[in-house]
């Protein structure tokens, strides 16, 4: 049997504030009950140290999105420029140097929450020179055509990522030749300048630090070329020519690079999110659950107390057994609220813990809001029950049954006061959880919470 708040609501406030709690309640006003706590919330008497079972929230995390080949997010176009050094085995270590340019294009494949694999076809050009004195320079050009594998590791979902890069392919060396000894390259400790027209194998090992969703990078690398066998092609060479000379130019370089498609994706996402009034999200942000319409928009304010309350119908005859049934219902609802409070407190601790991942912090913040709203509904349900039972108690004619009913009413009233205090505390925890998460959310979606703090007349001090 359920009852609605009637015209006696004002009288209920006076009675709630004047009644004393029953003797079998705890000093804090909490009623000890062994009633079942329900399937989704642990019993109030359960061990506080036990880990709570996973709670259903309004927005569960979405699975990682599949690769969309129609989106720029699926591709990578890198432009790098920098400076490098090479050793031409003249006994002077890295004796040649010069500027370099690299172009690489390929796929960008997400392989984990914070991992992306980018296989790209690459071309690199570097001009190398070394001053020999008297206005003479040793000059050569190095070209590379091959494949590079870039593994992106997001240290921060939006701002920092680390990229080990492995490249391999063909290295092609060219140096001009002449008969006057003024043009060409010095290599393998040959005093004269000689032409080079030879190719070999290239291996690159690099490491880059990127920001803005992998759009801008600083990098350093080691490059090794093997199997370069230039021939000393000179006029006075022996019959059949000079044999090839093994040359393995090794070196290092530094560079600054941009990924054109990452920049395009970032600008598109920023424009789209600003149009919706949301926080911009980069293309490299971890896919997470998008907020529902209920979360995105502030909750409507609670109705004013001055709004008219529905007038209850004529109450049927109520027995003590009905009062006892309502007491058991109130105990179960009280256990729900108490369990929600414990779970919300643990969730707040996890949000403040730096070891907790941001998607998990988001789930705990959303859960705290859900725990508060469910508890507010249960507290209101017991409030409605109390109002109806007080009306029914006033219509009881049997003194003995009236005395038993009054004792039960006092128990339910004590439960209601505890639930009201815990619901107010839950509102504070939900507010703290949302603020703490939003402060640390990084690129995760914001959680909204604008519910006003509830006020219960029964908690006011006389």
């Amino acid at each position: 049997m359920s009852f609605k708040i009637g015209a006696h609501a004002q009288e209920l406030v006076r009675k709630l504030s004047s009644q004393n709690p029953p003797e079998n309640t705890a000093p804090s006003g909490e009623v000890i009950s062994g009633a079942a706590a329900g399937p989704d919330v642990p019993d109030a008497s359960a061990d506080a140290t036990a880990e709570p079972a996973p709670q259903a929230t309004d927005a569960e995390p979405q699975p990682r999105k599949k690769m969309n080949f129609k989106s720029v997010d699926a591709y990578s176009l890198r432009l790098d420029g920098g400076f490098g050094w090479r050793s031409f085995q003249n006994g002077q270590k890295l004796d040649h140097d010069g500027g370099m340019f690299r172009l690489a294009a390929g796929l960008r494949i997400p392989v984990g929450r914070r991992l992306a694999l980018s296989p790209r076809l690459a071309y690199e050009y570097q001009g190398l020179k070394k001053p020999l004195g008297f206005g003479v320079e040793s000059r050569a050009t190095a070209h590379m055509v091959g494949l590079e594998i870039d593994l992106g590791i997001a240290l921060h979902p939006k701002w920092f990522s680390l990229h080990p890069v492995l490249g391999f392919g063909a290295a092609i060396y060219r140096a001009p030749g002449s008969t006057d000894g003024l043009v060409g390259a010095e290599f393998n400790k040959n005093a004269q300048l000689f032409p080079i027209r030879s190719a070999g194998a290239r291996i690159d090992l690099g490491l880059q630090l990127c920001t803005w969703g992998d759009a801008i990078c600083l990098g350093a690398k080691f490059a090794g070329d093997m199997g370069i066998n230039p021939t000393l092609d000179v006029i006075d060479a022996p019959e059949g020519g000079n044999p090839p000379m093994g040359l393995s130019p090794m070196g290092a370089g530094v560079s600054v690079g941009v990924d054109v498609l990452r920049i395009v994706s970032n600008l598109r996402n920023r424009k789209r999110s600003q149009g919706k009034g949301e926080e911009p999200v980069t293309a490299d942000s971890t896919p997470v659950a998008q907020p529902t319409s209920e979360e995105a928009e502030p909750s409507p304010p609670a109705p004013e107390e001055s709004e008219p309350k529905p007038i209850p119908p004529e109450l049927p005859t109520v027995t003590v057994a009905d009062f006892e049934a309502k007491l058991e219902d109130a105990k179960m609802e009280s256990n729900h609220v108490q369990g929600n409070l414990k779970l919300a407190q643990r969730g707040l601790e996890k949000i403040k813990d730096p070891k907790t991942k941001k998607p998990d912090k988001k789930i705990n913040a959303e859960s705290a809001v859900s725990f508060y709203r469910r508890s507010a509904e249960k507290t209101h349900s017991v409030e409605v029950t109390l109002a109806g039972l007080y009306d029914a108690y006033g219509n009881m004619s049997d003194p003995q049954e009236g005395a038993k009913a009054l004792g039960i009413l006092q128990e339910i009233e004590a439960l209601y006061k505890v639930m009201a205090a815990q619901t107010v505390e839950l509102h504070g925890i939900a507010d703290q959880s949302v603020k703490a998460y939003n402060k640390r959310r990084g690129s995760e979606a914001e959680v909204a919470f604008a519910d006003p703090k509830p006020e219960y007349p029964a908690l006011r001090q006389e």
Side-chain angles (χ1 to χ4, degrees):
M1 179 184 296
S2 61
F3 301 94
K4 298 181 179 179
I5 295 179
H8 302 284
Q10 297 298 327
E11 181 65 14
L12 167 63
V13 173
R14 184 187 64 78
K15 291 180 179 181
L16 290 177
S17 60
S18 61
Q19 295 290 337
N20 295 322
E23 296 180 358
N24 61 340
T25 57
S28 62
E30 180 179 351
V31 177
I32 307 301
S33 171
D40 59 338
V41 180
D43 189 88
S45 60
D47 184 4
T49 61
E51 280 297 320
Q55 297 295 313
T57 59
D58 294 336
E60 294 293 338
Q62 299 287 343
R64 180 170 58 87
K65 294 181 180 179
K66 294 183 178 180
M67 191 169 178
N68 180 11
F69 290 98
K70 296 182 179 180
S71 170
V72 295
D73 292 340
Y75 302 95
S76 174
L77 177 60
R78 290 290 307 274
L79 302 176
D80 293 85
F83 197 84
W85 301 263
R86 285 283 191 281
S87 169
F88 275 40
Q89 300 175 196
N90 292 308
Q92 299 173 352
K93 298 183 179 179
L94 303 178
D95 55 343
H96 286 68
D97 58 51
M100 61 182 179
F101 168 79
R102 190 181 186 95
L103 170 66
L107 298 175
R108 184 172 181 276
I109 307 169
V111 294
R113 185 180 292 274
R114 292 196 177 187
L115 296 177
L117 186 65
S118 299
R120 293 185 286 253
L121 295 175
Y123 166 77
E124 180 182 289
Y125 166 84
Q126 183 175 13
L128 297 164
K129 64 181 181 179
K130 169 189 174 183
L132 301 177
F134 304 102
V136 180
E137 287 184 329
S138 170
R139 289 179 174 272
T141 59
H143 305 260
M144 191 282 289
V145 179
L147 177 69
E148 67 177 22
I149 306 295
D150 178 337
L151 177 63
I153 306 169
L155 305 179
H156 183 280
K158 180 178 180 181
W159 291 115
F160 296 106
S161 58
L162 201 62
H163 293 255
V165 181
L166 170 64
F168 50 89
I172 305 168
Y173 277 77
R174 292 288 184 267
S178 69
T179 58
D180 55 13
L182 297 177
V183 180
E186 179 187 16
F187 58 91
N188 285 337
K189 300 181 181 180
N190 286 289
Q192 299 296 321
L193 300 175
F194 293 97
I196 300 177
R197 292 183 296 276
S198 183
R202 160 74 64 88
I203 294 180
D204 287 336
L205 296 174
L207 186 65
Q208 296 182 333
L209 179 64
C210 300
T211 186
W212 196 28
D214 297 347
I216 302 173
C217 302
L218 295 176
K221 72 169 185 175
F222 165 80
D225 298 320
M226 296 155 286
I228 309 297
N229 290 306
T231 300
L232 298 182
D233 187 9
V234 293
I235 296 176
D236 57 351
E239 185 178 354
N242 290 309
M245 300 182 63
L247 177 62
S248 298
M250 303 291 175
V254 293
S255 63
V256 177
V258 296
D259 193 314
V260 177
L261 297 185
R262 297 280 65 69
I263 295 176
V264 172
S265 178
N266 291 342
L267 295 178
R268 284 185 178 180
N269 288 336
R270 178 182 293 273
K271 184 176 180 181
R272 186 182 302 115
S273 59
Q274 287 177 347
K276 296 180 180 179
E278 301 171 353
E279 181 72 16
V281 179
T282 66
D284 199 45
S285 297
T286 307
V288 297
Q290 297 300 319
T292 63
S293 58
E294 293 181 357
E295 296 169 340
E297 299 178 359
S299 301
E304 298 292 337
E305 292 186 0
S306 59
E307 291 184 3
K309 304 292 178 66
I311 300 176
E314 291 295 329
L315 295 173
T317 303
V318 180
T319 65
V320 174
D322 295 323
F323 278 73
E324 292 173 344
K326 290 299 177 183
L327 173 60
E328 293 304 315
D329 291 343
K331 288 179 179 179
M332 185 173 65
E333 300 287 52
S334 177
N335 283 340
H336 275 272
V337 174
Q338 187 175 4
N340 287 344
L341 177 60
K342 290 181 180 179
L343 293 174
Q345 289 171 337
R346 294 174 189 170
L348 178 58
E349 293 174 359
K350 291 181 180 179
I351 293 173
K352 293 182 177 180
D353 187 353
K355 296 181 181 179
T356 305
K357 296 181 179 180
K358 288 184 175 63
D360 295 331
K361 291 179 187 286
K362 180 175 185 291
I363 292 175
N364 282 289
E366 291 173 335
S367 297
V369 174
S370 177
F371 290 146
Y372 160 68
R373 290 173 178 167
R374 293 176 188 173
S375 298
E377 291 175 359
K378 295 180 184 299
T379 301
H380 176 70
S381 174
V382 175
E383 182 182 38
V384 171
T385 298
L386 263 177
L389 290 178
Y390 267 113
D391 286 342
Y393 166 72
N395 295 329
M396 297 183 75
S397 57
D398 188 333
Q400 289 185 343
E401 290 216 344
K404 293 179 181 179
L406 180 60
I408 295 173
L409 274 174
Q410 290 175 340
E411 287 191 58
I412 298 177
E413 177 189 325
L415 286 172
Y416 167 71
K417 288 182 178 180
V418 173
M419 292 173 66
Q422 291 175 340
T423 302
V424 172
E425 186 177 356
L426 266 166
H427 180 277
I429 292 176
D431 186 61
Q432 293 179 51
S433 299
V434 170
K435 289 180 179 178
Y437 161 73
N438 288 338
K439 185 178 180 181
R440 299 170 173 84
R441 66 188 178 88
S443 64
E444 298 290 326
E446 185 176 8
V447 174
F449 179 64
D451 294 24
K453 181 179 178 180
E455 295 183 3
Y456 297 100
L459 300 179
R460 294 175 184 171
Q461 297 293 332
E462 292 185 357

